[in-house]
Amino acid sequence: MHQKRLSAPKTIKIQRKTKKWVVRTSPGPHNKEAVPLLVIVRDFLEMADTAREAKRIIASGAVLVDGVRRKDYRFPLGLFDVISIPELKKSYRILFDDQGRYIPKEIDDDKLKLYKITGKTIVRGGKEQLNLFDGTNIFASGFGVKDSILMELPEKKIVNHLKFEEGVLVMITGGTHAGEMGKLKKHRIMRGAAPNLVTIEGDRKEYTTIEDYVFVVGKDKPVIDLGV
C-alpha cells in the first residue's frame, strides 16, 4: 500500500525527507513511474491538507481522469493524462517540469489526449489492435508503431494521426532531456541489440536520444495544450 519516499520514482515531485512513506499506485495505466491520484490532489493541486481529506475528495467522485470519475486514491497517472475538477471548472494535464518530473499544468482542451502507439496485435477475427503507451488498447487500422494519435475523451474517438517521420515536432519522454521538444531531424536504424537512435534539433542545439524516448506531438506546433 505504501512506498518509501526516498526510493519513490524520480518522476514524482515530492519532499523525500520530511516523512518516511508515500502512497503506492494501484495496478493500472502507465508504468511504475506513475503518480498516485492522492499525491496529485493533496501535494500538487493542494485541494487537501492531509491524506484523509484527499481520500474523501476522491471518493466523492469530484475528480475525473481522462473524462472518467476515479474513486481509487491510488489510481496511477502519467504523461498527458487529463485531470478535471468540474466543481472548480479547472482542468490539468500531466506534463514534465524542467527537471523531468511529472506535474499537472492547467489547460483548456480537457477533451483531448495524445497517445503513442507502442505495438500492434492481430486478434481473433483478424482485427488489428493498437497497443498504446499508457496500457490502453483500441481496435483500429492504418496506423504505424511509433505514430501518435489524438483522441477525444472519454469516448476515445480518433480525431488526428501524427506519423513518426523526419520533420515532425517531438517531445522527449526519458533521459536527461525529458520534457524538451524539437524537430525530428534524423532517424537511424541500428544493427543488433543496440537501440535505434534519433537526432533532435532543439531551439539552441542538436542532440541524440534513443527511439523509445521520442513522442510525436505535432507538425509545426503541438496538437494539444501543453500548459506553456
Side-chain angles (χ1 to χ4, degrees), residues 80-198:
F80 293 153
D81 279 348
V82 176
I83 305 153
S84 302
I85 319 294
E87 291 185 9
L88 302 180
K89 297 182 179 179
K90 289 185 177 292
S91 296
Y92 305 85
R93 177 169 284 121
I94 300 295
L95 297 167
F96 290 107
D97 67 4
D98 56 4
Q99 296 183 42
R101 301 171 300 187
Y102 289 144
I103 58 171
K105 292 189 178 181
E106 191 166 353
I107 57 167
D108 296 322
D109 60 344
D110 62 348
K111 301 299 182 184
L112 295 173
K113 181 177 175 180
L114 197 58
Y115 294 80
K116 178 181 178 180
I117 301 171
T118 56
K120 295 196 294 184
T121 308
I122 302 300
V123 299
R124 183 176 297 178
K127 288 185 177 181
E128 189 173 283
Q129 177 179 274
L130 302 182
N131 313 126
L132 308 180
F133 80 115
D134 66 349
T136 301
N137 297 313
I138 63 168
F139 293 114
S141 58
F143 304 96
V145 175
K146 300 186 293 293
D147 289 357
S148 293
I149 51 176
L150 183 66
M151 293 202 283
E152 284 185 353
L153 301 173
E155 297 85 0
K156 294 184 178 177
K157 174 185 175 184
I158 298 175
V159 296
N160 200 354
H161 173 209
L162 302 171
K163 289 186 177 182
F164 180 89
E165 59 187 3
E166 294 180 1
V168 296
L169 182 66
V170 300
M171 176 183 283
I172 307 305
T173 61
T176 58
H177 296 284
E180 295 183 19
M181 291 195 295
K183 291 285 186 177
L184 196 163
K185 185 174 182 180
K186 187 176 181 181
H187 180 216
R188 292 159 50 192
I189 306 297
M190 308 299 290
R191 293 185 177 181
N196 295 333
L197 300 178
V198 175

Side-chain angles (χ1 to χ4, degrees), residues 1-9 12-16 18-25 34-40 42-44 51 73-74:
M1 293 288 288
H2 289 80
Q3 158 85 52
K4 285 187 177 180
R5 284 177 174 254
L6 284 174
S7 61
I12 303 180
K13 184 181 178 182
I14 54 173
Q15 294 181 349
R16 296 177 184 268
T18 55
K19 296 181 180 179
K20 185 174 183 179
W21 304 100
V22 67
V23 66
R24 184 191 297 272
T25 55
V35 184
L37 183 54
L38 183 146
V39 172
I40 295 291
R42 181 191 61 190
D43 301 299
F44 291 105
Y73 67 90
R74 298 168 59 209

